[in-house]
Amino acid sequence: MAMTEPWSADRIEARSRVVIDNDFCGDPDCVVEIAHHLLCRSIEIPFVVSSAVGVHHPEWTDDCVTRGVGVVREVAELADRDDVVILEGSNMPMTDASTPAVSAAAEALVREAMRDDTDLPLYVACGGGLTTVASALLLEPRIADRMTVIWLGGEKYDMTEDELPPDVRWRETNVNTDMVASRVVFNDFQVPLWQMPQGVFSQALMSRSEAWSRVRSRGALGRHVFDQIGHRVDAWSRGLKMGEAYGLGDHTLVSLTVLGGPYSPEPYTSDYTDVPRPSLLENGLYGEQADAGTIRVYSRIDVRLLFEDFYGKLDEFAAAQEA
């Protein structure tokens, strides 16, 4: 009698739905994040959103969301995921707090949140600006209590106005990509929100030697991920001494959407505090907001579990491709 392999990956079932929203035309940490997410089995991915970087960002162009679609498609092909739906968000930020930036992605998010044919909870994993989320909320306010937004962005909570760089280009990128949308999500809706401010997602550093030995050698997908990081480091190194590690902040989204416990999807190995929901001020700092409930603010991400899971999944995938 043939022996059944214990703890087979094929037995892992989806525990949640995760819409992945990122500025894929920007920094290569989003390439690491989407590669990892696409190798995961415990989530359903209804669609992936290619969002814009801020208009002040050096990577912004009038076709940056289209370029981002190409970035995701290339990773999806290497990950053997031809089932992935990729949608474009708005290429421009919202103009005011009552006018949504209508896009295919915002309309799809409304439809996904309003589904009544599944019991799987819905998370929106956002590694860039909040344009799509805020626009979907404005299009259909009822979705506010039908999803949880996991957002990587925002200034540190103890930052003072004197510490803010005068040039917006040197402030936290994601909150300033679309400040109108950021303020809509914080101030106008009580949508459940898990936030990783800048000082938290910056914990995800991978050394060059680690990426060389644990990523580059793991098949075509691993080589592609390594090369995308390397191209950015090479470009930036022309003006900066980049050192021996690169920040993979977007990768932390996998920690909170996939790497929960065995009996609950709750990511309890990362640390957080439930705090009164603040108002978001025009400069990106935080104020008080009465009777607005709470949000979850993370202070530490389990980077060991995150990176080791990524390396292991690359190993498994490369082995399967070679079989």
Side-chain angles (χ1 to χ4, degrees):
M1 180 182 297
M3 296 294 291
T4 301
E5 179 184 355
W7 207 3
S8 169
D10 292 335
R11 293 196 181 90
I12 298 175
E13 299 180 14
R15 301 198 289 187
S16 61
R17 295 170 289 155
V18 179
V19 169
I20 299 166
D21 180 354
N22 217 325
D23 48 7
F24 293 102
C25 57
D27 293 344
D29 51 345
C30 62
V31 175
V32 183
E33 174 262 311
I34 192 62
H36 196 168
H37 262 136
L38 291 179
L39 295 178
C40 295
R41 296 173 179 261
S42 63
I43 59 171
E44 290 182 0
I45 302 175
F47 54 91
V48 175
V49 180
S50 173
S51 290
V53 291
V55 295
H56 56 275
H57 193 284
E59 296 292 335
W60 188 88
T61 59
D62 59 8
D63 66 342
C64 64
V65 296
T66 303
R67 289 192 292 112
V69 169
V71 171
V72 179
R73 184 169 291 119
E74 189 169 12
V75 175
E77 289 175 356
L78 291 170
D80 198 22
R81 289 294 304 271
D82 58 3
D83 60 318
V84 175
V85 176
I86 312 166
L87 300 176
E88 293 190 4
S90 172
N91 210 53
M92 295 296 294
M94 290 173 53
T95 56
D96 62 77
S98 60
T99 305
V102 179
S103 65
E107 292 174 338
L109 181 54
V110 171
R111 291 193 297 271
E112 186 65 32
M114 294 303 294
R115 284 177 58 188
D116 57 9
D117 61 341
T118 177
D119 294 327
L120 295 179
L122 175 62
Y123 297 91
V124 183
C126 227
L130 289 167
T131 309
T132 296
V133 171
S135 297
L137 287 165
L138 289 169
L139 287 170
E140 178 48 85
R142 289 181 297 168
I143 69 173
D145 60 0
R146 299 176 67 92
M147 63 183 182
T148 297
V149 176
I150 302 174
W151 181 52
L152 180 150
E155 305 288 0
K156 295 185 290 185
Y157 270 71
D158 59 356
M159 179 173 281
T160 65
E161 189 168 3
D162 290 340
E163 296 173 308
L164 274 176
D167 190 333
V168 70
R169 291 176 297 176
W170 302 111
R171 299 181 186 182
E172 198 286 307
T173 298
N174 291 345
V175 72
N176 285 291
T177 290
D178 188 342
M179 182 58 76
V180 172
S182 298
R183 298 189 74 213
V184 165
V185 173
F186 269 81
N187 302 347
D188 299 344
F189 292 91
Q190 293 190 21
V191 58
L193 176 63
W194 298 359
Q195 181 189 9
M196 287 180 284
Q198 184 169 38
V200 180
F201 63 75
S202 299
Q203 296 169 9
L205 285 176
M206 183 182 292
S207 74
R208 184 253 178 209
S209 60
E210 187 177 12
W212 174 271
S213 63
R214 306 293 299 278
V215 178
R216 181 183 181 275
S217 59
R218 270 51 178 186
L221 178 60
R223 179 59 188 260
H224 177 73
V225 170
F226 179 88
D227 286 350
Q228 293 308 300
I229 299 170
H231 292 326
R232 172 49 59 91
V233 172
D234 287 351
W236 280 96
S237 292
R238 295 174 191 142
L240 299 169
K241 295 180 180 179
M242 292 290 289
E244 301 197 21
Y246 190 77
L248 301 177
D250 288 354
H251 195 193
T252 58
L253 291 168
V254 179
S255 292
L256 305 189
T257 54
V258 176
L259 300 175
Y263 305 109
S264 165
E266 184 73 16
Y268 58 75
T269 62
S270 295
D271 299 335
Y272 68 88
T273 304
D274 288 326
V275 304
R277 190 184 199 101
S279 64
L280 187 64
L281 307 179
E282 290 185 7
N283 60 6
L285 299 182
Y286 307 96
E288 295 183 357
Q289 187 172 194
D291 303 322
T294 63
I295 65 171
R296 176 184 294 192
V297 179
Y298 277 85
S299 58
R300 185 189 67 84
I301 298 298
D302 189 344
V303 176
R304 184 213 65 83
L305 177 61
L306 173 65
F307 283 2
E308 289 296 336
D309 185 72
F310 183 48
Y311 305 146
K313 282 187 167 67
L314 284 175
D315 281 344
E316 283 189 277
F317 182 71
Q321 294 294 99
E322 294 171 1

